[in-house]
Every structure is written in C-alpha cells, then in structure tokens.
Amino acid sequence: MDPCPFVRIVIGNLALKFPNPSKPTFSGVHPTSTPCYCKIKFKNFTSQTTTIPLIKTDAAHPEHPNSILQSASFTLPHSHIVKLSKSKTTPVLKIDVYKGKSGSTLGLSSGKLLGRVSVPLDLNCGLESKGAVFKNGWVAVGDGGAKAAQMYLSVKAEPDPRFVFEFGGEPECSPLVFQVQGSVKQPVFTCKFSLRDNNFRSRSSISESSVSRTWLSSFGQDQKENSSKERKGWSITIHDLSGSPVAAASMVTPFVPTPGSDRVSRTNPGAWLILRPGDATWKPWGRLEAWLDRGHTNTLGYRFDLLPDATASSVAATLATSSVNVRRGERFQLDNSSNMSAASPSISPRGSGDYSCWHELRRGFVMSSTAGRKGGGPEVEVGVKHVSCTEDAAAFVALAAAVDLSVDACKLFTKKLRKELRGGQPQSGHGVV
C-alpha cells in the first residue's frame, strides 16, 4: 500500500509579553490576572481558538521549531496544496489576539481584540518531501510599534503522509473498502455486517479462546438490563481480499435509552470491542464507547481506549474523549498533536498482540474518519507510522465502521432505523465473504 501525500501546518510555542507587564494599566492586561487567547485562521478551514500564556518581558522562551508545543494545526492534502500554490496571491495565516476569556455572551465575543499577526505561507518549497519553517520568533501584535505587545510563535509545515480508505457504502450494507490514491480507488478489504448476540462469536476460521472469552465476559458485566428499547448485537468483520479475517468490531454493551428519556446518554453509553487476529483467536485491541451529547441530536460523544494486552486485569489507556458533530461534517479523531489530545499507541507488528511497549507513546496524527456521512460510507485517514501491516490498517477501518454505526445506534429511540439494522438478514453488497 502506498500512502497519499499530506502536509500539516503546525502552529505552536505561543507566548505573549508586554513592554511594561508590571503596570496593569497597559491595555488593561496584567500577566498574573488577565487571560489572553487567540483565534487562528487559514483560508477555507474552520478557525481554531487557543489560550496564550503571558510571560515577563525578560523571560526566556524556547526557540526550537523542531519541538513545537502545538496549539493548532491545519492539514492539507496534495490537491489542496497544488490549488493554493497556483493562486495569484500568497496564502496567509492570520492570528487575532484577544484579552479576556474565550467564549461568547449573547452571540458576541467576550474578548477584546489586541491586534493581529499575519504569517505568509510559501507553499512552493517542496513541502511534501522536506517541510519548511515559516516563522520562529517574536513578532509585534498589531500596529502599536514599540508599545505593541510581542507574541512568540513557531509556524512550520511538515510532511504527514497518510493511508486513505473509503467504504463503498454504509457499513451495515457489507460493502467493499477501497484504498484511495488521488483519483484511483483500489479494493483492499471486504466487510461483513451481522446481527448477533452480545457475546462475539466469529463465523470465520478464527475461534474464541479462554483469553478472549475472559475479556468478553468482563465487558459483559457492564451490559445493561434487558429493555424493550435496545440496539444490540451488531458486529462487523473486515477481511482481506483472500477472505481471511483481519479485524472486527463487536457491540459488547447495548445502546439503550437512559430511563425516562429516548436517548443514549454519557452516563449510560453503548460500547464496541475492536478485535485483531492473533494465535488463532480474536484478541482485544481497543474499546469504543459512544453516546449522544446532552442537549444535541447530531453530536456523537465518544471515548476510545487502547487495550494493551489480552488479560482482563490490564489497565486500558484512554486515547481520546471528545465529540463529533455529524451535521457539520466533523471527523472522529485520534490525534496527539495538540496540547490537550491524548497520546497514540505504538502498534505491534503482524498482529502479534505484544503490547508490552504500549506505553511508548508516539506523538502526532493517528487516524480520522467521517461519521454518518449521507450517501456513502466512512472515509478513513491513517498516519503512515501507525501502519506496519495489513492488520494495523484493518483495525482502524473496523474502528471507523464502529464509529459510523454508533451514529445510528445513538439516534433518538423515537426514530426508526433502516431495515439492515433492525433484524433479519442484512442487505448484502459487494465483496461479502
């Protein structure tokens, strides 16, 4: 498998200082009591907001762009880079700096604008192969001259190649899964959706062992009491083109409404077990919990835990706890590039199940996928350094399928699901093995 070229624009090492920080009268800012933040904007991307630490005028600040403490990033696929590089105007990164707390009151920003910093980005400098540093140092905020606040920032571009996969349809329709390289799509996996009981039993050549049964029985203790309203027993198995199963996702905790409501809540989430083959059995790799965010009908909350080995007493490592707004097209993310993100796992080779070094966490982008996309199945991006074999890629594909199916599982129970999810034989699509 060959990856697609991506480039990530990274912004970080932020700091702010004022000419006379000891005087609280300067712009109403005092470094010990006044918070500051900024909105970082780049053409055709959603703006990102982050806090800026205030430091004393004579304080030292690291000037090492290769070790950026990241505050924001924008990821550009090859086609986007080409389009911007051919533009008659140089693309510019804009950073608006505010004093006060971030947020809004009655639709109005609660912060006061101090000024703007602009950084031109030259995208014609071989970014996909070697990257580039656009800014690393202090810059004046706005047009205040010698009296202006000074902002330290690092802005660089770094290659971020990714494998891109696309489901040929909704996961419940058992579609083919394609690897995408530009305009070329090549089938690499098939997937089979099934409605089963909550104890996962493979219909493939891989059988259960006492270890996998221990895991499943352990998770089974979390299963909720039977309800007339529940969505349970969904599973999806990913096969390679030879027909061998290479990953699976099984719903191990039913999705049921919180008592007195018609919605799955964070206090009562449903859960999936993501499995990989190893030693002639399925071995747990990760656990996904999902729920519907309070007060929203289109926002899926989620938590993903890495399961470091195949013993029920092992402590899971939480890699992500966040939410994704399906209506706005936001993506499920496993990413340890920003300051607040969780770390990503070190993937073991060839599905060996040896996670003894799982604590050796890697930084950077791990994966992202769409969820609940109308008219098609999930689109999945996986960082190259996290894929060393087919089973690695398949595990992320299975996780993406579980996220997508969770959107349906978390729908209000007053809503009717499509027939493939309600019982009987699932609709067969291409590539069913």
Side-chain angles (χ1 to χ4, degrees):
M1 297 188 295
D2 294 323
C4 294
F6 282 74
V7 169
R8 170 171 284 198
I9 307 298
V10 180
I11 303 98
N13 291 347
L14 300 182
L16 195 65
K17 64 181 180 181
F18 294 87
N20 296 298
S22 61
K23 297 182 179 180
T25 56
F26 182 85
S27 300
V29 176
H30 193 288
T32 60
S33 61
T34 305
C36 292
Y37 68 96
C38 65
K39 291 183 179 180
I40 304 173
K41 306 173 184 178
F42 190 53
K43 185 177 181 180
N44 298 327
F45 286 88
T46 302
S47 64
Q48 300 180 41
T49 301
T50 185
T51 58
I52 311 176
L54 296 172
I55 65 174
K56 295 181 179 180
T57 302
D58 56 353
H61 194 70
E63 300 184 8
H64 304 291
N66 292 326
S67 58
I68 288 181
L69 181 61
Q70 181 175 315
S71 297
S73 69
F74 301 95
T75 301
L76 285 63
H78 175 75
S79 57
H80 200 149
I81 297 170
V82 172
K83 183 177 180 179
L84 288 175
S85 64
K86 292 181 178 180
S87 174
K88 295 181 180 179
T89 58
T90 301
V92 176
L93 182 76
K94 298 179 180 180
I95 304 175
D96 293 340
V97 181
Y98 296 83
K99 72 170 184 177
K101 295 181 179 180
S102 62
S104 61
T105 303
L106 299 178
L108 301 175
S109 174
S110 59
K112 179 180 179 181
L113 181 66
L114 294 176
R116 170 176 290 177
V117 173
S118 297
V119 181
L121 305 183
D122 180 8
L123 300 180
N124 293 301
C125 54
L127 299 183
E128 295 170 13
S129 59
K130 61 182 180 180
V133 176
F134 300 115
K135 185 66 181 179
N136 184 51
W138 293 98
V139 61
V141 177
D143 300 320
K147 295 183 180 181
Q150 296 288 313
M151 181 179 181
Y152 191 99
L153 76 159
S154 298
V155 181
K156 75 170 185 175
E158 57 187 19
D160 189 19
R162 303 178 181 184
F163 294 108
V164 180
F165 304 96
E166 183 178 310
F167 285 69
E170 293 85 351
E172 63 268 29
C173 295
S174 301
L176 282 169
V177 179
F178 299 88
Q179 184 183 357
V180 180
Q181 294 173 294
S183 60
V184 178
K185 295 183 180 181
Q186 181 179 0
V188 289
F189 299 118
T190 65
C191 61
K192 173 70 176 183
F193 175 79
S194 299
L195 288 162
R196 314 180 182 191
D197 62 24
N198 287 330
N199 290 320
F200 180 79
R201 290 179 173 84
S202 173
R203 296 177 184 175
S204 70
S205 59
I206 295 181
S207 61
E208 289 187 69
S209 70
S210 59
V211 172
S212 60
R213 284 196 298 271
T214 299
W215 264 108
L216 291 164
S217 63
S218 173
F219 285 121
Q221 295 173 4
D222 296 333
Q223 292 180 8
K224 299 138 186 174
E225 296 180 359
N226 289 333
S227 169
S228 58
K229 288 184 177 182
E230 60 180 13
R231 294 161 182 163
K232 63 178 182 179
W234 301 358
S235 64
I236 194 160
T237 307
I238 309 298
H239 301 80
D240 62 22
L241 295 184
S242 71
S244 299
V246 286
S250 179
M251 187 185 289
V252 291
T253 303
F255 287 70
V256 302
T258 298
S261 75
D262 63 347
R263 58 195 296 133
V264 180
S265 71
R266 183 168 189 166
T267 59
N268 203 36
W272 296 80
L273 200 60
I274 312 300
L275 304 114
R276 294 172 54 137
D279 301 327
T281 187
W282 287 112
K283 291 192 174 184
W285 175 73
R287 188 174 194 252
L288 173 74
E289 290 184 347
W291 59 88
L292 199 62
D293 262 8
R294 185 177 181 179
H296 300 273
T297 59
N298 296 294
T299 302
L300 182 77
Y302 63 85
R303 168 178 168 162
F304 179 72
D305 293 335
L306 175 71
L307 306 178
D309 58 37
T311 60
S313 61
S314 299
V315 178
T318 299
L319 303 190
T321 301
S322 189
S323 62
V324 53
N325 187 298
V326 177
R327 175 172 291 181
R328 293 205 298 258
E330 294 176 352
R331 299 176 72 95
F332 170 84
Q333 296 271 0
L334 296 181
D335 193 334
N336 186 39
S337 297
S338 65
N339 296 343
M340 300 302 294
S341 297
S344 60
S346 176
I347 304 302
S348 66
R350 295 294 170 188
S352 66
D354 178 13
Y355 293 96
S356 59
C357 296
W358 67 271
H359 56 280
E360 295 180 6
L361 303 174
R362 294 177 178 175
R363 297 191 62 83
F365 171 81
V366 182
M367 74 157 285
S368 71
S369 67
T370 57
R373 190 166 65 102
K374 292 184 179 180
E379 295 177 344
V380 189
E381 296 174 6
V382 184
V384 166
K385 64 183 179 182
H386 301 288
V387 176
S388 59
C389 61
T390 300
E391 289 84 354
D392 289 341
F396 289 115
V397 169
L399 174 58
V403 172
D404 189 80
L405 289 167
S406 293
V407 174
D408 290 298
C410 287
K411 283 183 177 178
L412 298 178
F413 277 74
T414 53
K415 303 290 185 181
K416 188 176 182 180
L417 299 181
R418 59 186 299 169
K419 63 181 181 179
E420 290 86 357
L421 298 170
R422 286 187 276 116
Q425 293 297 320
Q427 176 178 317
S428 296
H430 296 293
V432 176
V433 177

